[in-house]
């Protein structure tokens, strides 16, 4: 519930749970413990007003290993879900009003700071005696409803719960993701360790200074008490005082580096150490992406959406493709008539490309990428005389256009559709394994440059976020003269950029190490475009992984 609270749901009493039990109830004492746990869960749920409607019972979690009985720890995993009418009404943990916001803490444990079972205890090889509990379900319910009302009134800009790592972890994670510092001053009757590391129920809210009085009034209307912890600050320094004594005064960037150290060490085992080192260095003091809209986005006019003679676009997919639904939706929203076309349709002669003005080859992993990126898909076309002729005729028609994304981009390269046809096979640009040596799924920033690309007309200078999902996206030029012509004629319309908006080969800004940050290719006449990133996955604002406040 303390995670669900940050998304405005339709009704708390509509919340349902999936309960997954892992237990060994046939062993002595375990059945009674299971009964107590089920009873405690039911009582709490009845008090809050929610219900279980599914789950899985694994009640044979014990086995014999030699003469020893090995049993599972007693475990219950509860996942809650609910309907929401407006998916935009969601609050994330990252601090957004840096230097102009206050942080409030709602204590749902009535001042208790029990450390049993906490992460802190585990780091000291301890378990502890008393562990956190939901002692007052009614107060938790009231707090849930109060925060929901505050989010509806747009009084909360960030929020996070303290039950995973304690208050200190909550606050630091909010500062890390907000890329800022904190100045906090709190009072406590417990030790600093208990105050900061107990994983009791509790919520931390960020509120813009001009809305602070309104937020406190909403909470008061629900009889919820909120403690003012302090402020966010632009200086990247974390200063925390408890009872007037400084308990933490450290550079946020250093703390964040410590926080990410385990991930960094794991990454060095998974990818090239050079890429891991680059990421650690480049992310130490990032400013965050600086987006630039070189035009004003506007919805497609209604008259285009309601036309009956829209241009037809073939949304082409093969075995293992994905993102075809997103691609269809994007083209439909732009005023086209998308058709779902499979390679088997073309092979069987059920349809041809003759009636289509556009062709979009979607992303994914055709034939599971077993023959390497898109090679199986390309072979289906290249080694079938009918299909080879069909694609060449479509390409050469003056009234057509095509778009290849990710796996489709790799396909276009292997077919020689970009940058131009009839390049010798050993000189044809292609997309090979990422320099990191692994599959990259990231929210990257790209810049649209000057090019003849029809689909990017009027977008020169755009710097914006885009989703990438590929293991083989490194643009390779086997022949230097081909690369020289591509650059001279501006046939590489997109490039990955750093936080300054400059083309880069640095990781992770450039997820695959392509030279000069190149992210795609187009034909000299601009009608055929191929790119590795996925624009179709983020054509609605709410789909963006990150947007400036």
């Amino acid at each position: 519930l303390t995670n669900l609270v940050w998304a405005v749901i339709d009704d708390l009493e509509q919340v349902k749970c999936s309960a997954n039990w892992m237990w060994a109830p046939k062993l002595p004492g375990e059945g009674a413990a299971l009964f107590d746990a089920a009873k405690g869960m039911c009582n709490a749920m009845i008090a809050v007003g929610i219900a279980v409607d599914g789950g899985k019972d694994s009640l044979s979690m014990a086995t014999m290993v030699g003469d020893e009985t090995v049993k599972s720890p007693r475990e219950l995993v509860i996942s809650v879900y609910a309907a929401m009418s407006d998916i935009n009404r969601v609050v994330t943990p990252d601090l957004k009003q840096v230097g102009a916001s206050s942080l409030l803490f709602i204590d749902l444990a009535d001042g208790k700071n029990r450390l049993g079972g906490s992460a802190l205890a585990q780091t000291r090889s301890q378990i502890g005696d008393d562990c956190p509990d939901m002692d007052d379900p009614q107060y938790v319910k009231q707090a849930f409803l109060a925060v929901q009302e505050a989010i509806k009134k747009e009084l909360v800009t960030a929020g996070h719960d303290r039950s995973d790592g304690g208050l200190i972890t909550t606050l630091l994670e909010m500062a890390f993701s907000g890329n800022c510092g904190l100045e906090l001053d709190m009072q406590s009757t417990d030790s600093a360790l208990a105050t900061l590391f107990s994983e009791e129920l509790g919520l931390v809210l960020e509120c813009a200074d001009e809305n602070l009085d309104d937020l406190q009034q909403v909470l008061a209307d629900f009889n919820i008490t909120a403690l003012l912890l302090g402020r966010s600050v632009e200086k990247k320094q974390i200063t925390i005082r408890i009872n007037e004594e400084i308990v933490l005064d450290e550079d946020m960037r250093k703390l964040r580096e410590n926080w990410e150290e385990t991930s960094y060490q794991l990454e060095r085992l998974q990818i090239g150490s050079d890429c891991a080192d680059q990421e650690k260095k480049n992310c130490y003091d990032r400013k965050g992406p600086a987006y630039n809209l070189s035009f004003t986005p506007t919805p497609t006019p209604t008259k285009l959406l309601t036309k009956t003679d829209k241009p037809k676009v073939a949304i082409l997919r093969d075995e293992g493709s994905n993102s075809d639904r997103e691609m269809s939706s994007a083209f439909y929203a732009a005023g086209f008539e998308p058709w779902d076309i499979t390679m088997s349709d073309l092979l069987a002669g059920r349809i041809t490309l003759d009636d289509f003005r556009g062709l979009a080859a979607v992303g994914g992993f055709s034939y599971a990428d077993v023959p390497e990126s898109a090679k199986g898909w390309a072979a289906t076309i290249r080694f079938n005389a009918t299909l080879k002729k069909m694609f060449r005729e479509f390409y050469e028609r003056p009234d057509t256009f095509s778009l290849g994304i990710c796996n489709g981009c790799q396909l276009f390269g292997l077919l020689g559709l970009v940058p131009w046809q009839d390049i010798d096979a050993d000189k044809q640009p292609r997309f090979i394994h990422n320099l990191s040596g692994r599959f990259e799924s990231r929210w990257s920033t790209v810049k649209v440059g000057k090019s003849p690309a029809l689909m990017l007309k009027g977008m020169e200078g755009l710097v914006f976020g885009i989703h990438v999902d590929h293991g083989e996206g490194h643009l390779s030029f086997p022949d230097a003269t081909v690369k020289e012509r591509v650059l001279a004629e501006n046939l590489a319309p997109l490039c990955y950029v750093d936080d300054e908006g400059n083309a880069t080969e640095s990781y992770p800004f450039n997820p695959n190490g392509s030279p000069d940050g190149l992210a795609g290719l187009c034909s000299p006449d601009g009608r055929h475009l191929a790119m590795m990133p996925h624009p179709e996955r983020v054509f609605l604002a709410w789909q963006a992984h990150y947007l400036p406040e």
Side-chain angles (χ1 to χ4, degrees):
L1 286 175
T2 55
N3 282 281
L4 183 69
V5 69
W6 309 114
V8 176
I9 62 173
D10 294 344
D11 183 2
L12 179 58
E13 294 193 357
Q14 290 182 4
V15 173
K16 296 296 185 289
C17 298
S18 172
N20 294 288
W21 299 86
M22 281 153 280
W23 220 282
K26 294 181 181 180
L27 297 182
E30 294 295 332
L34 177 62
F35 176 83
D36 291 342
K39 185 176 180 180
M41 183 188 74
C42 290
N43 291 340
M45 293 173 66
I46 291 169
V48 175
I50 63 179
V52 171
D53 68 349
K56 182 178 183 294
D57 299 337
S58 298
L59 301 182
S60 57
M61 302 298 285
T63 188
M64 292 295 295
V65 180
D67 297 328
E68 185 179 3
T69 300
V70 178
K71 66 177 181 179
S72 165
R74 302 162 180 172
E75 190 167 355
L76 166 63
V77 178
I78 301 176
S79 306
V80 299
Y81 35 89
M84 55 189 303
S85 299
D86 184 354
I87 57 176
N88 292 301
R89 299 170 99 173
V90 175
V91 169
T92 53
D94 51 307
L95 297 175
K96 302 175 183 68
Q97 303 290 335
V98 178
S101 65
S102 299
L103 274 69
L104 289 85
F105 173 55
I106 299 175
D107 183 4
L108 301 177
D110 192 28
K112 298 184 180 69
N113 287 303
R114 293 164 287 198
L115 286 169
S118 65
L120 175 68
Q122 292 180 50
T123 65
R124 310 311 301 167
S125 300
Q126 298 176 18
I127 296 175
D129 299 319
D130 298 322
C131 63
D133 201 354
M134 185 165 68
D135 299 318
D136 190 348
Q138 280 298 325
Y139 192 70
V140 172
K141 179 178 181 178
Q142 283 297 104
F144 185 98
L145 297 173
V147 173
Q148 291 267 292
E149 183 64 23
I151 297 174
K152 289 178 187 177
K153 294 184 176 181
E154 299 183 350
L155 302 176
V156 179
T157 53
H160 203 9
D161 83 302
R162 73 159 168 174
S163 58
D164 187 4
L167 185 59
I168 184 65
T169 303
T170 301
L171 294 166
L172 289 179
E173 287 179 348
M174 296 177 79
F176 294 161
S177 53
N179 204 27
C180 65
L182 297 173
E183 286 187 2
L184 307 177
D185 195 344
M186 57 188 81
Q187 302 296 315
S188 177
T189 56
D190 281 324
S191 68
L193 284 179
T195 302
L196 295 177
F197 286 96
S198 71
E199 299 177 20
E200 299 279 2
L201 298 180
L203 305 172
V204 176
L205 291 69
E206 181 195 33
C207 177
D209 290 337
E210 65 266 23
N211 295 327
L212 185 57
D213 291 341
D214 293 336
L215 174 60
Q216 290 178 323
Q217 183 59 55
V218 168
L219 298 177
D221 291 342
F222 285 83
N223 297 316
I224 299 300
T225 301
L227 305 174
L228 186 62
L229 296 179
R231 302 179 51 75
S232 65
V233 293
E234 293 185 6
K235 182 181 178 182
K236 296 178 181 180
Q237 186 78 10
I238 305 291
T239 304
I240 299 178
R241 294 179 176 85
I242 296 181
N243 300 331
E244 310 299 328
E245 180 183 350
I246 293 179
V247 296
L248 181 64
D249 190 13
E250 185 66 80
D251 190 315
M252 181 277 291
R253 295 163 296 187
K254 183 62 178 176
L255 292 171
R256 184 168 61 188
E257 186 178 62
N258 292 343
W259 182 72
E260 294 179 339
E261 181 65 20
T262 304
S263 297
Y264 163 67
Q265 293 295 343
L266 287 171
E267 286 221 318
R268 286 181 60 86
L269 301 176
Q270 297 175 28
I271 66 177
S273 59
D274 181 57
C275 286
D277 294 343
Q278 282 187 55
E279 183 169 21
K280 181 176 182 178
K281 177 184 176 182
N282 291 333
C283 292
Y284 178 78
D285 192 20
R286 283 193 65 177
K287 294 189 296 185
Y291 294 161
N292 174 57
L293 285 180
S294 57
F295 62 96
T296 302
T298 55
T300 305
T302 304
K303 65 179 182 179
L304 291 181
L305 293 174
T306 56
K307 285 179 64 176
T308 56
D309 58 341
K310 300 176 183 178
K312 294 182 180 180
V313 177
I315 309 300
L316 186 66
R317 58 189 174 95
D318 202 356
E319 182 181 323
S321 296
N322 60 38
S323 291
D324 49 294
R325 297 297 181 89
E326 293 91 332
M327 186 73 82
S328 296
S329 299
F331 270 103
Y332 180 83
F336 292 87
E337 182 180 298
W339 284 57
D340 178 36
I341 306 295
T342 65
M343 287 298 296
S344 59
D345 292 330
L346 299 179
L347 287 165
R350 288 187 289 267
I351 197 167
T352 70
L353 298 177
D354 295 345
D355 294 331
F356 293 97
R357 297 290 299 279
L359 167 68
V362 301
F365 310 92
S366 54
Y367 301 98
D369 276 354
V370 172
E372 294 189 12
S373 59
K375 284 188 176 179
W377 194 354
T380 306
I381 299 170
R382 291 177 67 105
F383 302 133
N384 182 292
T386 301
L387 290 190
K388 186 175 182 180
K389 180 174 179 289
M390 184 190 303
F391 274 80
R392 190 171 189 93
E393 289 177 349
F394 178 89
Y395 182 89
E396 293 176 348
R397 272 169 47 196
D399 64 342
T400 61
F401 70 93
S402 64
L403 174 66
I405 300 297
C406 194
N407 205 219
C409 172
Q410 296 161 341
L411 172 70
F412 280 18
L414 292 169
L415 293 178
L417 299 182
V418 290
W420 56 84
Q421 283 197 317
D422 300 323
I423 299 176
D424 292 340
D426 59 345
K427 298 180 180 180
Q428 172 66 38
R430 63 197 63 204
F431 295 87
I432 61 176
H433 284 284
N434 301 338
L435 289 188
S436 66
R438 71 171 177 189
F439 180 82
E440 294 287 342
S441 179
R442 292 183 178 271
W443 179 248
S444 296
T445 307
V446 293
K447 184 175 184 177
V448 177
K450 181 181 179 181
S451 79
L454 179 71
M455 297 191 73
L456 300 176
K457 187 176 181 181
M459 297 171 66
E460 183 178 346
L462 171 72
V463 179
F464 205 70
I466 199 166
H467 191 74
V468 297
D469 250 331
H470 57 252
E472 300 176 36
H474 179 88
L475 180 53
S476 172
F477 290 93
D479 186 80
T481 58
V482 173
K483 181 181 179 182
E484 290 171 4
R485 181 181 168 187
V486 164
L487 297 177
E489 297 183 17
N490 299 315
L491 302 184
L494 282 143
C495 66
Y496 299 105
V497 296
D498 57 23
D499 287 344
E500 303 291 340
N502 299 318
T504 183
E505 296 179 13
S506 295
Y507 188 84
F509 305 113
N510 182 329
N512 51 53
S514 290
D516 303 313
L518 302 182
L521 296 168
C522 71
S523 59
D525 61 8
R527 293 188 295 116
H528 305 284
L529 173 65
M531 68 176 78
M532 284 306 302
H534 285 271
E536 82 286 357
R537 291 187 180 178
V538 191
F539 71 95
L540 300 171
W542 62 266
Q543 295 173 318
H545 299 211
Y546 165 79
L547 289 176
E549 182 67 8

